[in-house]
Amino acid sequence: MTIEGQWGEPDGAERPQEKQRGPVVLRRSRLREPTTTDQRLLDSRGPSDWVHTDPWRVLRIQAEFVEGFGALAEVPRAVTVFGSARTPREHPEYATGVELGAALAKIGCAVITGGGPGAMEAVNRGASEAGGLSIGLGIELPFEQGLNPWVDLGVNFRYFFVRKTMFIKYAQAFVCLPGGFGTMDELFESLTLVQTKKVTKFPVVLFGRSYWQGLYDWIRDSMRASGKIGDKDLALLHLTDDIDDAVGIVQEAYEAWEATH
């Protein structure tokens, strides 16, 4: 077999007919497109299922990144706080969230949450009432949730991964209040990014010893003990029950980051 036959056109075959659709090349059965791109754009009588195709979703994803970057570009230094949407307003953890949001606002930090109810609302409320910038990054869910009333600057997203990028890009620290699967997802993604140095000088605070101690012990006694992580990785986590301690960790990390920039 010749090189041309191996890597170019099949031996003894003529070059197949083709049509280009932007950067996409169509051949054989794919040539049978009855309309052009312009025609599909301009002909309002055509089918509407194209808005659910993957190429169209790429544009939606791009638009979400553009909107998020545009809305948050001028945000001052900020702390992303994760926590459960199911925390009742009368629960002590809600009061803690309000206190934490206010304390972060008082050192000049904006707070970023998922914008929902529960612990997220508490943190947004504390920051807003203390005169700080309260940011909520919402997500489209099967059940109606919406942004809580204490959000000053809100952005709603369709895609979790776009929203997560905004949580990380515009914050200098993470604080995790007690939460469920969503909080765990955000916690471990944050740890992975810090561990792999995708983000630097980035403390991760677990607030609430009675809630997080079991997870921390498992990470130490199973993950670290079996060599899956090292001592430096375990040291990325800060476990505390004290608002001043949590805020101090955030402030110290920010000052260290500022000294190198």
Side-chain angles (χ1 to χ4, degrees), residues 1-2 4 17-18 20 33-34 38 50 62 67 73-74 79 85 96 105 109 132 167-168 197 210 212 214 230 235 258:
M1 180 181 288
T2 65
E4 183 179 40
Q17 274 192 306
E18 66 180 42
Q20 285 192 307
E33 282 200 347
D38 281 343
W50 59 274
Q62 177 180 299
E67 288 292 338
E74 297 181 356
V79 176
T96 297
C109 288
F167 279 144
I168 294 158
K197 301 189 184 301
S210 62
W212 294 110
E258 197 174 37

Side-chain angles (χ1 to χ4, degrees), residues 79-91:
V79 176
T80 293
V81 184
F82 303 124
S84 176
R86 302 185 184 189
T87 304
R89 287 179 177 169
E90 62 274 11
H91 197 283

Side-chain angles (χ1 to χ4, degrees), residues 2 9 61 82 123 128 134 136 152 177 189 219 233 237 251:
T2 65
E9 299 164 7
I61 291 165
F82 303 124
V123 174
S128 183
S134 174
D152 300 322
L177 296 172
E189 177 160 356
I219 292 171
D233 300 321
L237 285 167
Q251 182 69 9

Side-chain angles (χ1 to χ4, degrees), residues 236-259:
L236 297 175
L237 285 167
H238 304 272
L239 190 60
T240 186
D241 275 325
D242 185 78
I243 296 286
D244 291 337
D245 185 31
V247 173
I249 291 167
V250 170
Q251 182 69 9
E252 182 181 341
Y254 177 74
E255 290 172 357
W257 175 85
E258 197 174 37

Side-chain angles (χ1 to χ4, degrees), residues 144-174:
E144 190 66 31
Q145 184 167 305
L147 295 175
N148 70 67
W150 301 100
V151 168
D152 300 322
L153 171 61
V155 185
N156 280 305
F157 295 91
R158 286 188 177 93
Y159 300 99
F160 270 109
F161 57 88
V162 180
R163 181 185 186 227
K164 285 180 181 179
T165 300
M166 304 304 156
F167 279 144
I168 294 158
K169 180 173 174 58
Y170 294 101
Q172 281 77 50
F174 296 131

Side-chain angles (χ1 to χ4, degrees), residues 82-87 93 119 176-184 207 211-212:
F82 303 124
S84 176
R86 302 185 184 189
T87 304
E93 289 171 2
C176 292
L177 296 172
F181 286 162
T183 301
M184 295 295 156
F207 196 96
Y211 189 85
W212 294 110

Side-chain angles (χ1 to χ4, degrees), residues 59-72 157 162 166:
L59 296 179
R60 281 183 169 172
I61 291 165
Q62 177 180 299
E64 288 207 353
F65 276 114
V66 171
E67 288 292 338
F69 291 154
L72 302 173
F157 295 91
V162 180
M166 304 304 156

